Amino acid sequence: MIEVKRFDSAEPYDAKGHFNMSAMRLQGKGVTNLEDYWVGFSTFLPGGGADKASAPTGKVYVVLKGEMTVTSSDGEVILGQYDSCYLPPNTERSIENKTNNPVQMLVISPN
């Protein structure tokens, strides 16, 4: 059975360590019956981002609109529209929208 979650019914959630942004859960984490991973949709205002931190699970970022700067011990990388990156588990990173335009991004992570 296909389980559909309409964007119009997505609800915001608090993303710890993030600022000047809005996050909504699209799949998993109690929003749907997806158990292996979750998918979130984030909108970052100019200057928005996430403080330097790591997570015990890996993450995939997919930029849908705008440019997001991702900084890790490997250096700084700028992701543009439709670019993506994978952050392995326990990778310390920070992210920041250094532009004057909003950024829309998907976040995909195991539970």
Side-chain angles (χ1 to χ4, degrees):
M1 177 177 170
I2 296 175
E3 190 171 357
V4 175
K5 176 68 177 175
R6 300 286 179 198
F7 189 79
D8 288 346
S9 68
E11 294 186 16
Y13 70 94
D14 183 34
K16 183 181 173 194
H18 291 63
F19 51 92
N20 295 332
M21 61 88 70
S22 172
M24 295 186 292
R25 188 105 48 222
L26 302 180
Q27 292 287 328
K29 292 272 189 177
V31 172
T32 62
N33 290 316
L34 179 63
E35 295 178 3
D36 297 330
Y37 57 93
W38 59 270
V39 179
F41 177 86
S42 300
T43 302
F44 293 87
L45 297 175
D51 296 327
K52 189 175 186 180
S54 64
T57 58
K59 292 199 182 322
V60 173
Y61 296 149
V62 182
V63 174
L64 301 176
K65 179 180 179 184
E67 283 185 0
M68 182 61 74
T69 300
V70 181
T71 305
S72 72
S73 62
D74 293 334
E76 185 177 281
V77 63
I78 297 172
L79 301 178
Q81 187 173 30
Y82 307 129
D83 291 341
S84 62
C85 71
Y86 168 65
L87 298 165
N90 303 308
T91 300
E92 199 168 58
R93 61 83 186 115
S94 65
I95 58 174
E96 185 179 1
N97 175 3
K98 295 183 177 182
T99 74
N100 287 329
N101 299 302
V103 172
Q104 294 178 333
M105 186 168 80
L106 288 178
V107 179
I108 305 158
S109 180
N111 285 329

